[in-house]
DNA sequence: GCGCAATATGAGGAATGCCTCATATTTAGA
DNA sequence: TCTAAATATGAGGCATTCCTCATATTGCGC
């Protein structure tokens, strides 16, 4: 267990051919991580699945964890993009808070429902390096800040400690949905959960309090 | 990556000497997992730290994961016991719901604050076998059921879908506290978080609704 | 077409960690 | 005290995986 080596690619692909190779490796990695878990996902297996040689793989990724990281970052980016998109759509209509919240929860569920097993491996099983976890938290905070700004602006929202509220709102939805999709409890459907979350958050956001 | 082998000990310690050995191994394992992470925690290292030979270790644990599992189960049991204890104490006084909620959140924070790094390794990094994850979920559900029963009984609580509510309450607290302790955000203290959670849940629990 | 750079190959080196087993020591009980 | 069972030891076998490197192939610019 020597100090964790670098995570950046040693060569940047320039020709179309090599770009395709990198893409194939990432796609294959997603499949292999999904099917075999973090430990079972060997570089040999990923290369084989990608239809390239191990040597090629190591041209673009200095080690196994670099693949994990690249994959995770891509996954995170796609996730935020999707949620933002769905939210932006909803925001165009200047909707009531309840509708917006429901939209948010639904978007998060949709997000977690695609490739849930990959999601589980990446975020629950794999030893994501601290740098990546930090980055993820940073993105979450940015997102919470947006939510925060929105909350101040929305006519229905009444709370004072917008920072704490935004933190709680964003993380509550994320955590509950994450748990629900990845470890579905018996006797509780996603509709019921959505309703419950929406009611709770709506109440929380619209209750005025002399702090 | 052959099929995951058995997790049960091959020999049960009978004499006091061997009980001490097993105990030493578990204590050492906790320290080593904490300091080196799941991958860095080699059986050799654990044995060394425990002051016993690898051979002895393998007398009582068939493989590395068996140690992880034993440790996790112990951790889980201690956790539930602690929270139950703190809650039972609070319940003796037939307190108002708000007080009880606050007690719950405080207990969960206390729980997560002891050995947070071990907690992180066990639940975020280590590949816990599905059986253990299932067991954990089962315990959580049992706990949620208790909460559920209590909710029905408490005079201040007004909600109808007690099952969904219990699920949301328990998992919200757990997830938020877990995240907060293990990945502390800047500019948000534990008091503010506690307040925020308590207000949110209290509002949720005391709001009556024609479902 | 030519030559050079980019890319691809895959057998095998090197390192590591899990776990065994033949042997030694300790304890319990008669 | 003596014996058998319980417990402890730790060097090293075995398997596995990561990654390299010498070589081959492909594509780009001229």
């Amino acid at each position: 267990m020597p100090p964790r080596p670098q995570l950046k690619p040693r060569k940047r692909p320039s020709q179309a051919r090599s770009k395709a190779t990198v893409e194939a490796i990432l796609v294959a990695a997603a499949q292999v991580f999904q099917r075999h878990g973090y430990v079972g996902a060997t570089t040999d297996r990923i290369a084989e699945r990608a239809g390239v040689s191990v040597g090629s793989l190591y041209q673009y990724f200095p080690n196994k964890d670099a693949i994990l990281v690249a994959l995770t970052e891509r996954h995170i980016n796609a996730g935020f993009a999707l949620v933002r998109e769905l939210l932006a759509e909803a925001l165009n209509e200047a909707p009531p808070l309840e509708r917006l919240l429901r939209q948010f929860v639904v978007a998060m569920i949709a997000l977690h429902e695609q490739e849930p097993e990959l999601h589980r491996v990446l975020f629950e099983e794999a030893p994501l390096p601290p740098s990546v976890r930090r980055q993820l938290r940073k993105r979450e905070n940015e997102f919470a800040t947006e939510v925060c700004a929105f909350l101040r602006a929305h006519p229905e929202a009444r709370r004072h400690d917008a920072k704490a509220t935004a933190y709680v709102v964003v993380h509550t939805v994320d955590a509950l949905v994450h748990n629900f999709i990845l470890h579905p409890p018996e006797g509780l459907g996603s509709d019921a959960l959505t309703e419950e979350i929406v009611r709770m958050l709506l109440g929380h956001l619209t209750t005025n309090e002399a702090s």
Side-chain angles (χ1 to χ4, degrees), chain A residues 6-7 16 27 29 31 45 55 69 78-79 115 126 136 157-158 185 190 197:
Chain A
Q6 60 174 23
L7 295 173
V27 170
Q31 296 173 349
R45 223 184 315 231
V69 167
E115 302 181 300
L136 176 56
R158 299 253 167 78
S190 70
I197 297 178

Side-chain angles (χ1 to χ4, degrees), chain A residues 13-23 60:
Chain A
S14 67
Q15 302 181 359
R17 182 165 46 132
S18 51
K19 289 207 173 104
T21 298
V22 170
E23 181 63 26
Y60 306 106

Side-chain angles (χ1 to χ4, degrees), chain A residues 58-74:
Chain A
Y58 279 96
Q59 296 263 344
Y60 306 106
F61 300 94
N63 52 51
K64 175 176 165 175
D65 280 349
I67 306 176
L68 172 75
V69 167
L71 197 58
T72 305
E73 282 172 348
R74 172 182 278 219

Side-chain angles (χ1 to χ4, degrees), chain A residues 66-149:
Chain A
I67 306 176
L68 172 75
V69 167
L71 197 58
T72 305
E73 282 172 348
R74 172 182 278 219
H75 194 76
I76 290 174
N77 288 338
F80 275 105
L82 176 62
V83 172
R84 280 220 173 77
E85 192 184 329
L86 288 180
L87 273 187
E89 209 172 301
L91 265 170
N92 279 340
E93 311 162 18
L97 199 53
E98 175 172 351
R99 205 177 136 72
L100 194 64
L101 277 172
R102 185 168 286 107
Q103 194 77 359
F104 179 37
V105 175
V106 168
M108 289 296 280
I109 289 180
L111 174 63
H112 281 78
E113 264 174 349
Q114 51 179 170
E115 302 181 300
E117 185 56 22
L118 177 62
H119 200 85
R120 196 193 63 74
V121 171
L122 294 185
F123 294 118
E124 289 192 0
E125 184 184 325
L128 279 186
S131 61
V132 178
R133 294 207 179 270
R134 260 198 306 275
Q135 201 204 344
L136 176 56
R137 250 175 293 155
K138 199 176 151 198
R139 303 286 301 270
E140 281 169 348
N141 286 343
E142 285 170 19
F143 188 69
T145 303
E146 290 176 37
V147 172
C148 178

